[in-house]
Amino acid sequence: QVQLVESGGGLVQAGGSLRLSCAASGSILSINVIAWYRQAPGKQRELVARIISGGSPNYADSVKGRFTISRDNSKNTVYLQMNSLKPEDTAVYYCNAEGVVTSHFIYNDNWGQGTQVTVSS
């Protein structure tokens, strides 16, 4: 079984920065796609950024130039560096992993518990 644990959320003023981390555990050999989503109150969950193994990252238009996704395959960890934060970035941020290869199975649709990011104006 695969577990994803996010950390790094919090309260920050507009224009500030936060760095989110998501660590995956569970006898993992590789992860194909790892991504960050967010869900604001009353809104649908939306893709923020994702990175495919061996590929280039892609971003939602609303965060391009401000957010950077990166992964450390040796640690099965993905990061989201968020700069120039805006109040509209306020949401619960979720980590998602697809195509997680373990010694026994390939897992899809893996989600973390979420971490709250609040940006004050």
Side-chain angles (χ1 to χ4, degrees):
Q1 192 166 355
V2 174
Q3 288 189 327
L4 303 177
V5 179
E6 301 103 333
S7 60
L11 173 65
V12 64
Q13 288 188 332
S17 299
L18 283 174
R19 188 192 194 209
L20 305 183
S21 299
C22 171
S25 61
S27 300
I28 295 170
L29 300 177
S30 64
I31 301 174
N32 185 27
V33 183
I34 197 159
W36 287 97
Y37 286 74
R38 68 185 180 187
Q39 187 167 20
K43 295 188 177 181
Q44 288 189 328
R45 191 172 296 188
E46 63 174 357
L47 176 66
V48 176
R50 71 172 182 177
I51 186 166
I52 300 173
S53 181
S56 299
N58 50 64
Y59 300 92
D61 288 343
S62 59
V63 307
K64 280 181 182 176
R66 300 188 297 121
F67 290 11
T68 302
I69 188 172
S70 61
R71 60 190 290 176
D72 184 338
N73 291 331
S74 67
K75 297 180 180 179
N76 290 322
T77 299
V78 64
Y79 305 97
L80 186 68
Q81 178 66 43
M82 306 186 295
N83 299 327
S84 302
L85 283 160
K86 304 175 181 180
E88 50 264 43
D89 294 319
T90 295
V92 178
Y93 284 70
Y94 297 90
C95 179
N96 167 261
E98 304 291 338
V100 181
V101 180
T102 70
S103 56
H104 299 292
F105 200 69
I106 299 175
Y107 293 89
N108 288 304
D109 199 30
N110 306 282
W111 293 89
Q113 82 286 353
T115 185
Q116 176 71 46
V117 171
T118 303
V119 185
S120 63
S121 57

